[in-house]
Structure formats: C-alpha cells, structure tokens
Amino acid sequence: MTKLQKPQFVYMNGRLVAWDDAKIHISSEALIRGISVFEGIKGYWRHDGAQFALLALREHYDRLARSAILNHLPFTVIFEEFRGACLSLVRALLTKEQDLWLRPTLFAVEGHWGADTVTDLVITAYHQEMKKPEPIDVGIATWQRPLDVGLPARIKSAANYQVGRLARIEGRRQGFADMILPNQWGRVAEATGSCVLMVRNGRVVSPPAYEGCLESITVNIVEELCRGLRIPFDRRPIERTELLVADELCLAGTLMELGVVRRIESRELAKHTPVLDTISEQFWACVRGMRDHPAVRLTAV
Ligand code: PMP
C-alpha cells in the first residue's frame, strides 16, 4: 500500500501542531464539497549543504491568492506571515540530505455554499530524496481537462485533481507513470500534476493557459532560462499527433521538476535529449545555488 509520510508537525490555525492533532470537521465545505485551493512549493539544499532555500515562494503565494479569489475563499494571510509560516514548518522538519516539498492548503472550514466562509491555511511538508527525476513513460488519458467555464484549470483547487486521479488510475493500469490530459478539442492541456514541454526542431513549446492548464511557475522559470540560453520558446497549442512525433518531451512542475519522457503511448523517444539537457543543467545548477539566475528566486531558511 502506498503510504503518505506522516511528519511530526503540521502548520494549522496559525501555529505548529502535532500531525495527529491536525483535524478538520466532517461537516466543513472542505470535506463535503472538496473546497480548498493549494500550492506545492519545493525547498532545496544548496549543493554544499550550507543552506536550505524555498523556490519561488512569492510566486506560489501570489497564485494561491488568485486561486482563493476565484474560489471565493477569504485569504487574509499577508505574504510575510505566509513566509513565516512556511519557514517555521521547514525549521521544525528539516533534516540533512533531504529536500522538502511543502503543501500550503486553504481549506473552507466553515460556511455553506460560499456564504459566511471561514478558511484556515494549513501547511504540510514532506521529505524528498535529493535526486533528479528518472525518465518516465507517459500515456494520453481518455479523461479531459474541462473548459474554463466548467472546472477552471487556472484555479489550483482540490476539485481539479479528481479528473487527474481518474487519469492516473487509467494510466497505472496501462503501465504509465503519468498521463497527459487533452482538452475538449483533443489538444494537449497538461499532465495530472505538471505541464508539458515539447521540443520540435530546436524550439521548446508549451501550451498556453487557455488550452486548459495551470499557470505553471516551473514553465515560467524554464521560459526565462531559455531566453538566457538562446533557445526559442513558444506558447502555442499542441495537437495530439504533434506530441507523438516530438523530438523531446518533458513534464514540468514543482514536484515533477523536469521529468524527461522516455515513452509516449507506444512510441519510444530518442534517448538523446540535447535541448532538455541544456535547460535541465541550468535549472539544477540554479536551484542548488551553484549559479545565480534572476528567474530562480530562492528564499533562504
Ligand atoms: N498542472 C497541474 C495540474 C499541477 O498540479 C501542477 C503542479 N503545481 C502544474 C501544472 C505545474 O505547476 P508549477 O510548475 O507551478 O508547479
């Protein structure tokens, strides 16, 4: 059975509490309608182990605030308070030689159908191995990302992950580690927890948000890195057949990081991934503090 880590502490109700005491009532909208918005934030040890830092903290806070506005969830926590909360949890859980992935979630703990809503910012953090992702096999799901007027992908809400979960289950049965969800027009939207980067003829391509994907912070970072590396980067729709004949493919996200795709459906991709290797090398050097880049904003703990 796949078990979730149970770290000693959780941030809840403005303070650190023990894992077993982090409880939400069964009558809350967070539970009965799955009303919550969240973020995933990665923390990296510097290459020499001398410092630990969170990547793109401000960007994640800003996106959480946008998700809260769109989902009518009051979010009164200011950035400094949010940073303090994240840092306090990191300090309580940090261990040498393990990175952390933080999940700040804004839960609707009181209220009914969006009236008189009260929220609580809960932050959990999980230890991560300090290694780069292995190449993965990816399928194309029969499940679709809904339209912006259905279940908006721009909102990082729990509800969006119901479709992702169906796709993951579908993929697992076929031996795929992750699945790419098409939008209603059959074009690429995103994967279950990351966005898609395709390389064709030396250009990096990623679908714009209107194709049904989250506004990815990792993709924004990659776009900026590409500019510096003089690699052309386009935001444009990607058709299914284009995906199947891509020169190089990669899933990009905070938790996924830059995960090279080895196989898409039944097609093996070339082992040689020169464009993705160049981008990844720059990304890793920056997040581990070996190189500075304005796109890679680190908040030291
Ligand atoms: N799409 C989905 C559905 C995701 O869950 C994520 C991870 N947050 C992403 C894309 C990538 O976003 P980011 O690069 O900001 O982590």
Side-chain angles (χ1 to χ4, degrees):
M1 198 167 78
T2 313
K3 285 212 177 113
L4 190 68
Q5 286 175 33
K6 291 185 177 178
Q8 214 182 343
F9 299 106
V10 172
Y11 179 92
M12 191 174 193
N13 235 328
R15 62 194 173 88
L16 295 186
V17 299
W19 176 273
D20 288 336
D21 297 334
K23 294 189 177 141
I24 286 180
H25 200 269
I26 49 120
S27 67
S28 63
E29 271 202 306
L31 278 170
I32 59 168
R33 301 197 179 94
I35 305 297
S36 68
V37 293
F38 71 102
E39 279 302 314
I41 302 175
K42 188 80 199 275
Y44 291 95
W45 276 108
R46 207 166 74 176
H47 64 101
D48 56 5
Q51 197 178 62
F52 188 82
L54 298 174
L55 175 62
L57 190 61
R58 179 81 218 194
E59 287 78 357
H60 284 286
Y61 170 84
D62 288 344
R63 190 172 62 189
L64 185 62
R66 291 197 298 273
S67 293
I69 289 170
L70 288 168
N71 248 15
H72 305 276
L73 293 170
F75 183 43
T76 52
V77 177
I78 61 168
F79 175 67
E80 286 68 27
E81 225 178 310
F82 178 78
R83 184 181 55 199
C86 290
L87 296 191
S88 69
L89 186 63
V90 168
R91 289 191 188 111
L93 297 177
L94 193 61
T95 52
K96 280 276 169 211
E97 285 166 22
Q98 276 191 308
D99 291 329
L100 284 171
W101 179 73
L102 276 66
R103 189 193 205 276
T105 310
L106 193 65
F107 285 109
V109 289
E110 278 181 44
H112 196 51
W113 286 112
D116 305 320
T117 307
V118 176
T119 59
D120 189 23
L121 174 69
V122 175
I123 311 174
T124 46
Y126 305 95
H127 293 104
Q128 302 288 312
E129 277 186 65
M130 291 175 63
K131 57 173 200 192
K132 297 175 193 172
E134 296 291 326
I136 49 169
D137 296 346
V138 171
I140 302 174
T142 57
W143 300 99
Q144 295 176 346
R145 226 351 129 231
L147 284 173
D148 189 55
V149 288
L151 194 56
R154 182 172 282 105
I155 311 179
K156 196 166 163 59
S157 64
N160 268 331
Y161 292 81
Q162 304 213 5
V163 184
R165 184 171 175 273
L166 291 171
R168 281 269 184 122
I169 293 168
E170 180 180 43
R172 200 175 301 136
R173 290 193 182 129
Q174 300 167 15
F176 294 124
D178 206 338
M179 297 296 270
I180 292 174
L181 297 158
N183 60 24
Q184 291 216 337
W185 301 280
R187 294 190 298 261
V188 174
E190 60 181 348
T192 61
S194 52
C195 281
V196 175
L197 296 175
M198 173 186 79
V199 181
R200 275 198 92 187
N201 305 321
R203 305 182 79 86
V204 178
V205 184
S206 195
Y210 63 73
E211 287 290 281
C213 58
L214 186 70
E215 294 176 335
S216 161
I217 292 163
T218 315
V219 173
N220 289 347
I221 291 174
V222 168
E223 184 177 22
E224 282 190 62
L225 294 181
C226 281
R227 206 172 298 140
L229 294 165
R230 308 219 172 283
I231 298 171
F233 184 101
D234 307 322
R235 303 244 186 196
R236 64 155 176 85
I238 300 175
E239 289 183 316
R240 181 190 171 96
T241 48
E242 213 182 4
L243 195 63
L244 295 169
V245 295
D247 298 333
E248 300 174 41
L249 266 187
C250 166
L251 300 185
T254 299
L255 188 59
M256 171 64 69
E257 297 164 318
L258 299 174
V260 172
V261 176
R262 183 174 55 183
R263 187 157 75 94
I264 173 81
E265 288 283 309
S266 58
R267 184 183 160 227
E268 294 276 342
L269 280 107
K271 287 196 174 56
H272 187 48
T273 53
V275 178
L276 292 177
D277 289 353
T278 307
I279 298 168
S280 295
E281 196 274 330
Q282 178 79 322
F283 180 83
W284 291 111
C286 293
V287 298
R288 294 277 178 219
M290 284 180 272
R291 220 171 280 158
D292 282 334
H293 193 288
V296 180
R297 290 175 277 277
L298 296 167
T299 300
V301 173

